[in-house]
Amino acid sequence: MNRRLVRVCFLWLLIAMVWPGRVSAQYTEKDIYAYIDQFKDVAMQKMAEYKIPASITIAQGIFESACGKSRLAVDGNNHFGIKCHADWEGDTILIDDDELQECFRKYTDVSESYTDHSLFLTKRSRYANLFKLDILDYPAWARTLKQDGYATNPQYADRLISLIERFNIARLDTLCLRQQGIEVPVAPVAQYIPRQQLEKAFDNNQQNPAKPEKPKTPASTDKPATGQMKVFTAIGSDYPAGNSPFSYRKVFENNHTFFIIAQSGDTYEKIAGDVQVSSENLRKFNDVLDNGQPVENEIVYIEAKGKTCNTRIHIVQTGETLRYIAQRYGVQLRYLFKYNMMDENTIIHPGDQILLRH
């Protein structure tokens, strides 16, 4: 009896392995970041052309294609699960979905899938309600997509919203609008731009495209968006005292990380001898370039900062840099890059929302 049960289980396992269905492939957080980075430009391009939030497009692509790893995505370049329908005259691919061997659209390139996704939504009357929504209101877009029948999964809207918020994908919407010359409010996300204003701005940009500007020198992590660069300083009473047996200086603690406060004339080489940490590591802990030195009252961490903190979002103020934010919250700069899809060349602006954790 046991052997028979084993054979039955093995048979079902074999069927599951070879069954040519629309399998939900496994993907990781790293895959999600890679997918966003790979397709963010085309998503923003479609947002400018068709007025569909780039965040919604990317989130749908992640969810529908398993970050491009599903069979439909790999063999059909179809990242949005769009079926053939009566009006489709292009190539097709058969995949098991709600029913066996259903007909899905097949594209020669993924970019075609993104274009067809935009056309699919704009040309069908059932999705007309979407275009009455504010383009920054991604929760309403997600719920209306589900309501109007884009997907049968009851958690579809929640999944899209969760992806957008966890990986801060909505910043693509803001970036796209700024590229179109549209002023974006820096206050809470709930303060949306009137739809008519957006459409007028989009139309004006398409009819009278702006002349290309000269390339701007990328801002480093120590270059503020506007105003005088700020350095994160402190006095002893601002933070609880720490207890480091290896330091000859008074130690304080921020986000479970020990730091000292730089004195007038301090260098990292001088501090290194007092805290028994190499100057190279001090610069690494504080995200400092090789020739950088601290200023009076600046926080200098004497151990590696954390990967996250209790605060979720920081609103950028005039003069702040990504390094300033990393120092303020005791979070490693590279994780701020990761959480916000940024790098050392990213320019931040007053009012931007910087994620400090997932």
Side-chain angles (χ1 to χ4, degrees):
M1 182 66 179
N2 289 338
R3 289 182 180 179
R4 182 180 180 184
L5 180 60
V6 169
R7 290 193 188 100
V8 171
C9 291
F10 178 79
L11 178 61
W12 278 110
L13 177 61
L14 183 61
I15 291 173
M17 292 172 62
V18 302
W19 192 261
R22 188 182 172 195
V23 177
S24 297
Q26 296 297 315
Y27 54 95
T28 66
E29 183 179 280
K30 183 178 179 181
D31 294 327
I32 294 176
Y33 281 114
Y35 187 94
I36 295 169
D37 187 61
Q38 182 176 359
F39 296 108
K40 62 184 179 182
D41 290 335
V42 67
M44 287 191 290
Q45 178 185 344
K46 300 310 168 189
M47 176 176 172
E49 293 175 0
Y50 298 98
K51 306 178 183 67
I52 299 169
S55 58
I56 288 291
T57 301
I58 285 288
Q60 284 192 280
I62 292 170
F63 185 46
E64 295 284 349
S65 74
C67 284
K69 294 177 176 291
S70 70
R71 185 194 159 197
L72 183 58
V74 173
D75 295 344
N77 287 316
N78 187 333
H79 281 220
F80 299 95
I82 300 179
K83 297 180 180 180
C84 295
H85 302 284
D87 58 344
W88 179 246
E89 297 179 352
D91 291 337
T92 63
I93 181 173
L94 299 179
I95 300 285
D96 292 339
D97 191 47
D98 296 329
E99 299 178 5
L100 297 179
Q101 296 294 278
E102 287 195 85
C103 182
F104 286 85
R105 301 183 181 190
K106 183 178 181 180
Y107 309 96
T108 58
D109 186 82
V110 176
S111 62
E112 293 181 10
S113 177
Y114 271 75
T115 299
D116 198 37
H117 167 264
S118 299
L119 293 172
F120 188 83
L121 295 181
T122 55
K123 291 183 177 295
R124 282 169 166 72
S125 58
R126 69 187 294 183
Y127 299 116
N129 288 331
L130 289 171
F131 299 93
K132 299 175 184 177
L133 303 172
D134 191 282
I135 203 166
L136 292 180
D137 193 355
Y138 64 84
W141 275 78
R143 296 187 181 104
T144 304
L145 272 171
K146 172 63 182 72
Q147 174 185 310
D148 291 347
Y150 191 95
T152 57
N153 187 328
Q155 279 79 46
Y156 190 77
D158 292 336
R159 290 287 299 273
L160 295 185
I161 294 170
S162 176
L163 277 170
I164 291 170
E165 294 181 346
R166 181 180 177 190
F167 294 93
N168 198 20
I169 306 176
R171 68 184 300 270
L172 299 181
D173 302 335
T174 299
L175 179 59
C176 180
L177 295 182
R178 283 181 174 153
Q179 289 176 349
Q180 296 294 313
I182 301 171
E183 185 178 352
V184 182
V186 298
V189 178
Q191 297 185 10
Y192 302 119
I193 302 175
R195 186 78 194 177
Q196 292 179 346
Q197 178 184 338
L198 288 172
E199 292 181 350
K200 181 178 180 181
F202 274 123
D203 292 340
N204 288 340
N205 277 305
Q206 291 175 357
Q207 295 173 10
N208 303 298
K211 295 181 180 179
E213 298 179 357
K214 293 181 179 180
K216 297 179 180 179
T217 302
S220 71
T221 54
D222 272 329
K223 183 176 179 181
T226 57
Q228 182 65 34
M229 181 179 71
K230 296 173 69 174
V231 175
F232 190 65
T233 59
I235 58 176
S237 59
D238 289 339
Y239 293 91
N243 183 21
S244 172
F246 307 107
S247 173
Y248 295 104
R249 298 207 188 189
K250 192 169 183 178
V251 175
F252 303 92
E253 187 174 348
N254 179 32
N255 194 27
H256 310 293
T257 307
F258 290 145
F259 70 89
I260 60 95
I261 298 175
Q263 302 169 2
S264 178
D266 260 347
T267 65
Y268 284 108
E269 288 70 23
K270 182 178 179 180
I271 296 171
D274 289 344
V275 299
Q276 302 183 54
V277 175
S278 71
S279 59
E280 179 183 357
N281 278 339
L282 284 178
R283 286 188 168 88
K284 181 179 179 181
F285 296 158
N286 293 275
D287 304 302
V288 177
L289 300 177
D290 291 343
N291 59 350
Q293 295 293 356
V295 300
E296 186 177 4
N297 295 325
E298 182 177 356
I299 277 184
V300 177
Y301 290 97
I302 61 175
E303 59 181 354
K305 290 176 287 190
K307 299 179 181 179
T308 185
C309 67
N310 291 332
T311 304
R312 182 171 181 269
I313 291 176
H314 173 79
I315 305 298
V316 178
Q317 304 297 316
T318 300
E320 290 183 351
T321 65
L322 288 170
R323 177 178 177 268
Y324 174 92
I325 296 169
Q327 293 292 94
R328 173 176 174 177
Y329 292 98
V331 177
Q332 295 177 41
L333 185 59
R334 64 191 183 101
Y335 283 95
L336 293 189
F337 290 161
K338 179 179 179 181
Y339 301 150
N340 296 277
M341 298 178 293
M342 295 178 174
D343 58 29
E344 62 273 12
N345 295 321
T346 300
I347 299 174
I348 61 175
H349 303 81
D352 283 350
Q353 296 187 17
I354 305 298
L355 281 179
L356 306 174
R357 59 184 172 88
H358 282 315

